[in-house]
Amino acid sequence: MTVIETIMDQINKLSLSEKILIVEEIWDSIANGVEYPELTSEQAEKLDKRIESYRCGRFEARPWEDIKKDCWR
């Protein structure tokens, strides 16, 4: 029996609430261990420009419905 099979055998014996708690713990451990890649200088520059445009009020806003139409044709 593999380690995963052994663990699953034990998990299957738990109540639903206990299973949910385990899933939450596993998810938290994954979320806490996430490492995000470094931005390239080009990506950082693009984000800086977008933030500056937003702060100065120079940004183009489009209604969500228009964006959905463009993306899901």
Side-chain angles (χ1 to χ4, degrees), residues 22-34:
I22 288 175
V23 169
E24 289 174 346
E25 289 294 326
I26 291 170
W27 185 254
D28 288 345
S29 73
I30 292 169
N32 290 334
V34 172

Side-chain angles (χ1 to χ4, degrees), residues 1-66:
M1 186 176 276
T2 68
V3 173
I4 297 296
E5 290 170 332
T6 303
I7 293 170
M8 287 307 301
D9 185 51
Q10 294 298 312
I11 289 173
N12 288 331
K13 295 175 185 175
L14 300 174
S15 69
L16 178 60
S17 61
E18 290 170 320
K19 290 175 184 178
I20 291 170
L21 287 172
I22 288 175
V23 169
E24 289 174 346
E25 289 294 326
I26 291 170
W27 185 254
D28 288 345
S29 73
I30 292 169
N32 290 334
V34 172
E35 293 182 24
Y36 297 98
E38 291 292 321
L39 293 177
T40 65
S41 57
E42 182 179 288
Q43 291 168 326
E45 185 178 322
K46 185 179 257 188
L47 287 173
D48 288 342
K49 285 180 182 177
R50 288 180 181 178
I51 291 169
E52 183 61 26
S53 291
Y54 173 77
R55 287 183 179 152
C56 294
R58 297 185 320 258
F59 60 93
E60 183 181 324
R62 295 175 53 204
W64 176 238
E65 291 303 317
D66 291 350

